[in-house]
């Protein structure tokens, strides 16, 4: 693959997990770490591994992703969780789908669908929350089985969707807006592994999962 792709990595205290993610990026993929107010050495570790670092002091997953998209310079942009649970080796497959389409035609947004590597990789409350949100999306006409923890699309078109949420509801609003605009979405199965380090702010606790489901459900009502 000769196309250069910026990989937006929204980060909040991911110094422990980042090296595994950055080490695994394929050739042609450039890390763009968005430090979302970390209190650990996230920014320093990212720079040590050669990543470009942008600061976004407004807390929120959506704020970090939006700043990453605005700061990216490549035509195609990937967004990837920075905890090491998803193998970056799938990125060229997602890029190829957007560039070349598939047997059914064009692909506007390529997504990863998490397949847990073991029963204990994803806590029960996280599995239940994700299943509920994916079912909500399908009822709204979005043909997905996950909430796009890894995705590839064209930068200008992603920004053009006008996603407003700057918190945990960002990916759900993005999918709803993309489907409403007639985008063709394709999911690719990707192994979901234990974090490379640290603790999840969402799936790491029942409270975190419930907060995410609440925020995303409110976005669905507004969108």
């Amino acid at each position: 693959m000769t196309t250069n792709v910026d990989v937006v990595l929204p980060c909040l205290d991911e110094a422990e997990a980042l090296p595994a993610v950055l080490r695994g990026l394929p050739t042609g993929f450039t890390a763009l770490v968005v430090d979302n107010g970390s209190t650990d050495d996230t920014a320093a570790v990212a720079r040590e591994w050669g990543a470009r670092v942008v600061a976004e002091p407004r807390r929120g997953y959506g704020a970090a992703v939006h700043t990453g998209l605005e700061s990216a310079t490549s035509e195609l942009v990937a967004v990837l969780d920075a905890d090491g649970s998803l193998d970056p080796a799938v990125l060229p497959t997602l890029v190829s789908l957007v560039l070349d389409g598939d047997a059914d035609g064009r692909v506007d947004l390529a997504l990863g669908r998490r397949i847990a590597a073991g029963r204990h990789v994803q806590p029960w409350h996280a599995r239940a929350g994700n299943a509920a949100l994916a079912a909500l999306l399908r009822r709204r006409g979005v043909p997905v089985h996950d909430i796009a923890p890894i995705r590839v699309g064209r930068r200008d078109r992603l920004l053009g969707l006008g996603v407003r949420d700057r918190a945990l509801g960002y990916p759900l609003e993005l999918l709803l807006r993309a489907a409403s605009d007639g985008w063709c979405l394709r999911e690719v199965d990707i192994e979901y592994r234990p974090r490379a380090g640290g603790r999840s702010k969402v799936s790491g606790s029942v409270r975190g999962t419930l907060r995410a489901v609440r925020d995303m459900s409110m976005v669905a009502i507004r969108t």
Side-chain angles (χ1 to χ4, degrees), residues 11-14 195 199-205 208-209 211:
C11 290
L12 175 59
D13 296 333
E14 293 290 7
R195 290 177 59 93
R199 183 182 181 187
S200 174
K201 292 79 180 172
V202 177
S203 63
S205 68
T209 297
R211 186 179 73 243

Side-chain angles (χ1 to χ4, degrees), residues 32-201:
L32 174 54
V33 169
V34 183
D35 185 9
N36 198 207
S38 298
T39 58
D40 66 1
D41 293 329
T42 290
V45 169
R47 292 189 180 96
E48 183 179 325
W49 281 86
R52 180 184 169 202
V53 178
V54 176
E56 174 46 78
R58 295 174 299 167
R59 286 289 182 91
Y61 173 83
V65 171
H66 184 72
T67 292
L69 287 176
E70 289 187 322
S71 302
T73 58
S74 58
E75 177 189 3
L76 293 183
V77 175
V79 179
L80 172 66
D81 285 352
D83 59 10
S85 64
L86 303 171
D87 189 353
V90 75
L91 287 170
T93 298
L94 300 181
V95 167
S96 293
L97 280 172
V98 176
L99 287 177
D100 304 323
D102 61 9
D104 295 322
R106 82 177 198 280
V107 174
D108 300 302
L109 187 63
L111 315 164
R113 177 187 181 183
R114 292 172 290 187
I115 305 297
R119 287 184 60 191
H120 303 295
V121 171
Q122 192 175 28
W124 68 267
H125 48 86
R127 291 196 305 272
N130 187 65
L133 290 167
L136 182 155
L137 285 166
R138 290 195 298 276
R139 287 196 298 272
R140 294 282 298 273
V142 187
V144 298
H145 300 82
D146 204 342
I147 52 174
I150 176 173
R151 52 194 179 272
V152 172
R154 298 184 186 277
R155 173 183 176 272
D156 289 348
R157 295 195 67 196
L158 287 167
L159 288 171
L161 286 174
V163 179
R164 298 189 182 94
D165 191 82
R166 294 294 179 263
L168 294 172
Y170 182 97
L172 192 117
E173 183 183 349
L174 182 147
L175 292 173
L176 286 169
R177 288 184 178 276
S180 178
D181 280 5
W183 286 31
C184 180
L185 314 180
R186 288 288 184 273
E187 285 183 313
V188 173
D189 288 350
I190 177 173
E191 184 180 59
Y192 186 51
R193 310 174 298 193
R195 290 177 59 93
R199 183 182 181 187
S200 174
K201 292 79 180 172

